[in-house]
Amino acid sequence: MMQIVIASEIVVYGRREKKTIAHPRMSVRPRDDREEETMAGPNGITHDNPELRDVLPGFPGSAPGLCDMTDTTMAAVPDEIMSIQADEACGAEYGARSDRRVNSRNGYRSRRLDTTIGTLDLRIPKLRSGSYFPTGLLERYSRTERALAAAVAEMYVTGTSTRKVERVAAKFGVESLSKDQVSRLCAVIDGEVDAFLARDWSAMRFAYLFLDATYVRCRVSGRVRSEAFITAIGVGDDGRKHFVGLACANAESYASWRGFLQDLEGRGVRNVRLVTSDAHDGLVRAIMDVYPEATWQRCIVHVKRDVLAKVDGREAQRRARAVMSPIFRESDPTLVRALYHKAVDELASFAPSASRVLEDAEVDALAYLSFPREHRVKIRTNNVQERTSCEPRRRAKVVQTFPSTGSVLRLLGGIVDEVNADWASENLLVSKESLRPVLGLERAENRIEGFAPSEEVRARAEVIMMVAPGEYAKAS
């Protein structure tokens, strides 16, 4: 029978050595082009080589198929390496008499290893005194190969539920991989998420900050409750978007938002010029406390929703939308203000409470007009957050209930980290040149009161408002 030689580099007790492994049933060694021509034809392995004729027929008896043959082959390599390492620990080869022997072998113990090619049955040598574990090959207390762990983690982050991951693993030959094992394997993401949460942003200046929260169901102290997954996106001096922070809080309270923003400031997100968010009381107070030099922009999409929530009836809501639609189509600050005032007056005729909501929101809803024209459409809404939160929401829907707040940060943090990497290769949100005047401001001020519309502008706004219902109906 042919004896095959495998040359490999292994680590034995801290020493890197070249070892030659002899195995009677297999061959894994580099082949040159001439060997390729004699051993393999265009469609695969041939039996022209007499040695191969001796070896290959032996497999079908013990391995019913090619996959089983692969499993047998792959298990033989680590078995042989572990045998060599055990001999090194004993000071002599297995069964050999030697004055250098300091220990002796005492059989084997079986161990299963789940890998990307299937489950391998390994034989780990035992010693009569002391213990031996192949730390260079396997992780102690782990029965799953690192490559499989990485694959499972990637499936988890991209939106595959833990039960589906188990079924996929079974198709690859992994005999058993419970949902608890899958969740533990996903802990490989923790290091990347921890690094993201601790990142220092002092080297970059941020002009704009977008804040939002997504609610997820989470088990805390044995009870299932809603937790707020808080995220912050900043626009840096490079003109790109960056996820700069995330956290999990039990509510969107003033204390939780203030602590979150203080953490951002402590990690270098300072001197922000504009913060865009919804009108949650605790959030607005926290912004004023932590970033007093910044202007607050109330998301205009949320303003419209708040107004419509005060309007009863489908027809009345359609009319309210038509009244508000011309406001944000214009770019001239004085005309925008004139249209805003006309919309307030129109709403008062059929929805007084909605009119008051719109009137009270004027200063904060139009804060974006104090910034460069090319930035306004992008900073007046929280759409940057809304678009990027679609994937975390989808994944949260798959999971339904997270087992802990740590698992929320692990999964959704992994998604956020990937989004950050994608943004690094995307087009700029705003140009660097247009950011310079904004970053040069010592303190951002809301100058909306200075945009007083003239009589001519008011008359123009009245004409626009008269045709607005018809144009809105056509657009709808």
Side-chain angles (χ1 to χ4, degrees):
M1 183 173 294
M2 176 180 65
Q3 187 179 64
I4 309 302
V5 175
I6 305 168
S8 66
E9 188 179 65
I10 63 172
V11 178
V12 181
Y13 302 107
R15 303 191 310 273
R16 189 174 299 274
E17 300 179 358
K18 289 280 187 178
K19 290 293 179 183
T20 299
I21 305 171
H23 196 276
R25 303 284 295 175
M26 60 171 288
S27 176
V28 182
R29 62 185 176 85
R31 296 177 299 185
D32 59 27
D33 295 338
R34 288 171 297 177
E35 288 178 311
E36 292 284 353
E37 294 172 358
T38 58
M39 295 176 65
N43 297 319
I45 298 175
T46 67
H47 293 268
D48 296 336
N49 189 310
E51 290 184 338
L52 286 177
R53 283 200 298 268
D54 291 337
V55 175
L56 291 176
F59 277 104
S62 59
L66 182 60
C67 291
D68 292 332
M69 181 183 76
T70 304
D71 294 348
T72 305
T73 301
M74 293 304 296
V77 175
D79 281 351
E80 194 66 35
I81 292 176
M82 288 186 289
S83 179
I84 292 172
Q85 291 181 347
D87 288 343
E88 289 279 346
C90 293
E93 293 184 6
Y94 179 65
R97 295 179 179 274
S98 173
D99 295 335
R100 296 177 297 174
R101 179 178 293 279
V102 295
N103 206 339
S104 58
R105 303 269 283 272
N106 188 28
Y108 298 89
R109 55 190 173 94
S110 298
R111 175 165 178 142
R112 290 191 322 170
L113 177 68
D114 295 330
T115 75
T116 48
I117 65 163
T119 300
L120 305 181
D121 293 315
L122 304 180
R123 301 173 70 214
I124 301 178
K126 295 194 296 185
L127 306 181
R128 290 199 178 275
S129 61
S131 62
Y132 161 76
F133 187 84
T135 53
L137 292 174
L138 309 176
E139 289 187 62
R140 194 177 292 274
Y141 310 121
S142 171
R143 295 181 180 272
T144 307
E145 180 201 19
R146 294 180 185 179
L148 180 62
V152 168
E154 184 175 354
M155 282 190 286
Y156 189 68
V157 168
T158 53
T160 308
S161 69
T162 53
R163 294 182 186 277
K164 289 181 181 178
V165 171
E166 180 185 359
R167 291 198 293 269
V168 171
K171 291 182 180 180
F172 280 98
V174 178
E175 295 174 3
S176 63
L177 193 63
S178 69
K179 63 180 186 300
D180 294 330
Q181 284 178 296
V182 173
S183 296
R184 285 199 300 270
L185 288 175
C186 294
V188 299
I189 308 169
D190 287 347
E192 296 178 2
V193 175
D194 290 344
F196 171 76
L197 292 175
R199 179 173 177 180
D200 182 68
W201 294 97
S202 300
M204 183 174 291
R205 294 187 299 164
F206 289 91
Y208 306 123
L209 192 64
F210 301 87
L211 303 174
D212 195 21
T214 300
Y215 280 88
V216 296
R217 290 171 59 82
C218 183
R219 189 176 299 277
V220 180
S221 302
R223 296 172 54 200
V224 176
R225 70 186 189 194
S226 290
E227 290 279 312
F229 179 67
I230 300 171
T231 54
I233 298 175
V235 179
D237 52 17
D238 59 351
R240 298 187 185 279
K241 299 172 290 184
H242 302 272
F243 263 109
V244 293
L246 58 94
C248 208
N250 57 7
E252 279 191 90
S253 63
Y254 165 73
S256 61
W257 274 116
R258 189 169 186 270
F260 176 71
L261 294 178
Q262 285 177 331
D263 175 69
L264 289 185
E265 188 185 38
R267 292 191 291 111
V269 184
R270 305 185 184 98
N271 302 320
V272 176
R273 298 297 178 254
L274 181 79
V275 181
T276 304
S277 72
D278 62 16
H280 190 282
D281 290 339
L283 171 55
V284 177
R285 284 178 54 204
I287 292 171
M288 297 300 110
D289 286 353
V290 181
Y291 294 112
E293 73 284 354
T295 298
W296 175 55
Q297 168 65 44
R298 183 173 176 179
C299 174
I300 63 172
V301 174
H302 287 87
V303 171
K304 292 178 181 179
R305 290 174 185 169
D306 294 342
V307 170
L308 293 174
K310 299 292 185 180
V311 180
D312 296 326
R314 182 176 297 178
E315 182 59 30
Q317 286 193 350
R318 188 199 67 77
R319 185 179 173 188
R321 289 191 183 94
V323 165
M324 292 187 289
S325 64
I327 301 173
F328 304 105
R329 286 205 300 261
E330 302 296 334
S331 58
D332 178 22
T334 57
L335 181 57
V336 170
R337 258 200 111 187
L339 288 168
Y340 200 99
H341 295 162
K342 291 297 295 182
V344 170
D345 295 339
E346 288 288 329
L347 283 171
S349 64
F350 64 93
S353 58
S355 176
R356 286 192 293 271
V357 170
L358 187 63
E359 185 177 16
D360 293 342
E362 179 185 1
V363 174
D364 300 320
L366 301 183
Y368 70 94
L369 294 172
S370 302
F371 291 84
R373 177 174 296 188
E374 56 267 40
H375 297 182
R376 291 173 187 169
V377 173
K378 296 168 183 175
I379 64 176
R380 68 187 184 182
T381 71
N382 221 2
N383 285 350
V384 170
Q385 282 275 11
E386 294 292 336
R387 293 190 191 102
T388 52
S389 63
C390 289
E391 180 60 22
R393 283 178 182 149
R394 184 186 73 83
R395 190 63 184 98
K397 189 175 181 180
V398 172
V399 177
Q400 295 183 347
T401 300
F402 287 88
S404 65
T405 55
S407 64
V408 175
L409 289 177
R410 176 188 304 150
L411 170 61
L412 302 186
I415 295 171
V416 163
D417 198 27
E418 285 195 350
V419 171
N420 243 1
D422 292 340
W423 282 347
S425 59
E426 288 186 0
N427 294 332
L428 302 183
L429 182 69
V430 293
S431 67
K432 299 178 184 179
E433 292 74 16
S434 64
L435 274 175
R436 285 172 188 155
V438 179
L439 294 169
L441 296 172
E442 291 185 7
R443 182 185 181 91
E445 295 182 0
N446 191 334
R447 297 182 285 115
I448 189 63
E449 296 296 341
F451 301 130
S454 63
E455 288 299 324
E456 183 183 352
V457 172
R458 290 180 189 277
R460 185 181 169 195
E462 190 169 349
V463 173
I464 293 173
M465 195 59 70
M466 287 176 61
V467 300
E471 291 184 353
Y472 181 80
K474 290 180 181 178
S476 301

